PDB file of all heavy atoms in Angstrom:
ATOM      1  N   ILE A 119      17.960  69.088 -53.088  1.00  0.00           N
ATOM      2  CA  ILE A 119      19.102  68.948 -53.953  1.00  0.00           C
ATOM      3  C   ILE A 119      20.418  69.353 -53.311  1.00  0.00           C
ATOM      4  O   ILE A 119      21.425  68.644 -53.512  1.00  0.00           O
ATOM      5  CB  ILE A 119      18.825  69.882 -55.127  1.00  0.00           C
ATOM      6  CG1 ILE A 119      17.532  69.442 -55.978  1.00  0.00           C
ATOM      7  CG2 ILE A 119      19.996  69.998 -56.114  1.00  0.00           C
ATOM      8  CD1 ILE A 119      17.108  70.417 -57.042  1.00  0.00           C
ATOM      9  N   VAL A 120      20.406  70.379 -52.584  1.00  0.00           N
ATOM     10  CA  VAL A 120      21.727  70.773 -51.950  1.00  0.00           C
ATOM     11  C   VAL A 120      22.152  69.775 -50.888  1.00  0.00           C
ATOM     12  O   VAL A 120      23.362  69.355 -50.892  1.00  0.00           O
ATOM     13  CB  VAL A 120      21.531  72.252 -51.392  1.00  0.00           C
ATOM     14  CG1 VAL A 120      22.755  72.630 -50.542  1.00  0.00           C
ATOM     15  CG2 VAL A 120      21.245  73.194 -52.381  1.00  0.00           C
ATOM     16  N   ASN A 121      21.264  69.330 -50.045  1.00  0.00           N
ATOM     17  CA  ASN A 121      21.669  68.347 -49.033  1.00  0.00           C
ATOM     18  C   ASN A 121      21.991  66.953 -49.754  1.00  0.00           C
ATOM     19  O   ASN A 121      22.862  66.334 -49.127  1.00  0.00           O
ATOM     20  CB  ASN A 121      20.465  68.140 -48.033  1.00  0.00           C
ATOM     21  CG  ASN A 121      20.923  67.533 -46.808  1.00  0.00           C
ATOM     22  OD1 ASN A 121      22.097  67.478 -46.479  1.00  0.00           O
ATOM     23  ND2 ASN A 121      19.982  67.108 -45.966  1.00  0.00           N
ATOM     24  N   ASP A 122      21.341  66.675 -50.759  1.00  0.00           N
ATOM     25  CA  ASP A 122      21.667  65.383 -51.441  1.00  0.00           C
ATOM     26  C   ASP A 122      23.161  65.499 -52.004  1.00  0.00           C
ATOM     27  O   ASP A 122      23.870  64.505 -52.070  1.00  0.00           O
ATOM     28  CB  ASP A 122      20.714  65.094 -52.553  1.00  0.00           C
ATOM     29  CG  ASP A 122      19.442  64.694 -52.068  1.00  0.00           C
ATOM     30  OD1 ASP A 122      19.286  64.333 -50.914  1.00  0.00           O
ATOM     31  OD2 ASP A 122      18.413  64.693 -52.861  1.00  0.00           O
ATOM     32  N   PHE A 123      23.537  66.666 -52.560  1.00  0.00           N
ATOM     33  CA  PHE A 123      24.808  66.848 -53.084  1.00  0.00           C
ATOM     34  C   PHE A 123      25.905  66.829 -52.059  1.00  0.00           C
ATOM     35  O   PHE A 123      26.984  66.276 -52.222  1.00  0.00           O
ATOM     36  CB  PHE A 123      24.879  68.230 -53.816  1.00  0.00           C
ATOM     37  CG  PHE A 123      26.182  68.449 -54.530  1.00  0.00           C
ATOM     38  CD1 PHE A 123      26.560  67.746 -55.637  1.00  0.00           C
ATOM     39  CD2 PHE A 123      27.088  69.484 -53.936  1.00  0.00           C
ATOM     40  CE1 PHE A 123      27.756  68.012 -56.282  1.00  0.00           C
ATOM     41  CE2 PHE A 123      28.225  69.689 -54.680  1.00  0.00           C
ATOM     42  CZ  PHE A 123      28.606  68.949 -55.692  1.00  0.00           C
ATOM     43  N   ILE A 124      25.625  67.431 -50.796  1.00  0.00           N
ATOM     44  CA  ILE A 124      26.635  67.469 -49.838  1.00  0.00           C
ATOM     45  C   ILE A 124      26.661  66.117 -49.018  1.00  0.00           C
ATOM     46  O   ILE A 124      27.745  65.584 -48.828  1.00  0.00           O
ATOM     47  CB  ILE A 124      26.252  68.627 -48.855  1.00  0.00           C
ATOM     48  CG1 ILE A 124      26.406  69.996 -49.581  1.00  0.00           C
ATOM     49  CG2 ILE A 124      27.208  68.600 -47.583  1.00  0.00           C
ATOM     50  CD1 ILE A 124      25.958  71.150 -48.812  1.00  0.00           C
ATOM     51  N   CYS A 125      25.586  65.605 -48.633  1.00  0.00           N
ATOM     52  CA  CYS A 125      25.508  64.400 -47.793  1.00  0.00           C
ATOM     53  C   CYS A 125      25.104  63.150 -48.398  1.00  0.00           C
ATOM     54  O   CYS A 125      25.382  62.069 -47.888  1.00  0.00           O
ATOM     55  CB  CYS A 125      24.656  64.659 -46.622  1.00  0.00           C
ATOM     56  SG  CYS A 125      25.092  66.135 -45.550  1.00  0.00           S
ATOM     57  N   GLY A 126      24.506  63.262 -49.552  1.00  0.00           N
ATOM     58  CA  GLY A 126      23.940  62.111 -50.209  1.00  0.00           C
ATOM     59  C   GLY A 126      22.472  61.724 -49.820  1.00  0.00           C
ATOM     60  O   GLY A 126      22.071  62.265 -48.867  1.00  0.00           O
ATOM     61  N   LYS A 127      21.998  60.788 -50.572  1.00  0.00           N
ATOM     62  CA  LYS A 127      20.649  60.392 -50.258  1.00  0.00           C
ATOM     63  C   LYS A 127      20.642  59.269 -49.180  1.00  0.00           C
ATOM     64  O   LYS A 127      21.700  58.596 -49.120  1.00  0.00           O
ATOM     65  CB  LYS A 127      19.855  59.917 -51.540  1.00  0.00           C
ATOM     66  CG  LYS A 127      19.666  61.025 -52.568  1.00  0.00           C
ATOM     67  CD  LYS A 127      18.960  60.495 -53.693  1.00  0.00           C
ATOM     68  CE  LYS A 127      18.794  61.617 -54.745  1.00  0.00           C
ATOM     69  NZ  LYS A 127      18.117  61.256 -55.964  1.00  0.00           N
ATOM     70  N   LYS A 128      19.535  59.053 -48.556  1.00  0.00           N
ATOM     71  CA  LYS A 128      19.456  58.047 -47.562  1.00  0.00           C
ATOM     72  C   LYS A 128      18.590  56.833 -48.092  1.00  0.00           C
ATOM     73  O   LYS A 128      17.565  57.026 -48.633  1.00  0.00           O
ATOM     74  CB  LYS A 128      18.833  58.640 -46.382  1.00  0.00           C
ATOM     75  CG  LYS A 128      18.750  57.673 -45.131  1.00  0.00           C
ATOM     76  CD  LYS A 128      18.204  58.419 -43.906  1.00  0.00           C
ATOM     77  CE  LYS A 128      18.176  57.522 -42.770  1.00  0.00           C
ATOM     78  NZ  LYS A 128      17.562  58.210 -41.570  1.00  0.00           N
ATOM     79  N   ILE A 129      19.106  55.664 -47.822  1.00  0.00           N
ATOM     80  CA  ILE A 129      18.348  54.404 -48.196  1.00  0.00           C
ATOM     81  C   ILE A 129      17.830  53.851 -46.860  1.00  0.00           C
ATOM     82  O   ILE A 129      18.556  53.587 -45.979  1.00  0.00           O
ATOM     83  CB  ILE A 129      19.247  53.422 -48.883  1.00  0.00           C
ATOM     84  CG1 ILE A 129      19.804  53.949 -50.220  1.00  0.00           C
ATOM     85  CG2 ILE A 129      18.534  52.114 -49.143  1.00  0.00           C
ATOM     86  CD1 ILE A 129      20.773  53.183 -50.910  1.00  0.00           C
ATOM     87  N   ILE A 130      16.406  53.648 -46.945  1.00  0.00           N
ATOM     88  CA  ILE A 130      15.784  53.103 -45.787  1.00  0.00           C
ATOM     89  C   ILE A 130      15.308  51.721 -46.111  1.00  0.00           C
ATOM     90  O   ILE A 130      14.546  51.626 -47.151  1.00  0.00           O
ATOM     91  CB  ILE A 130      14.642  54.036 -45.290  1.00  0.00           C
ATOM     92  CG1 ILE A 130      15.156  55.393 -44.981  1.00  0.00           C
ATOM     93  CG2 ILE A 130      14.003  53.446 -44.031  1.00  0.00           C
ATOM     94  CD1 ILE A 130      14.205  56.502 -44.706  1.00  0.00           C
ATOM     95  N   LEU A 131      15.675  50.700 -45.444  1.00  0.00           N
ATOM     96  CA  LEU A 131      15.159  49.366 -45.694  1.00  0.00           C
ATOM     97  C   LEU A 131      13.684  49.181 -45.507  1.00  0.00           C
ATOM     98  O   LEU A 131      13.085  49.859 -44.667  1.00  0.00           O
ATOM     99  CB  LEU A 131      15.970  48.344 -44.859  1.00  0.00           C
ATOM    100  CG  LEU A 131      17.506  48.334 -45.056  1.00  0.00           C
ATOM    101  CD1 LEU A 131      18.169  47.330 -44.116  1.00  0.00           C
ATOM    102  CD2 LEU A 131      17.845  48.012 -46.460  1.00  0.00           C
TER     103      LEU A 131
END
Side-chain angles (χ1 to χ4, degrees):
I119 296 172
V120 175
N121 199 14
D122 289 348
F123 182 72
I124 294 171
C125 299
K127 295 181 181 179
K128 183 177 182 180
I129 298 173
I130 304 170
L131 299 177

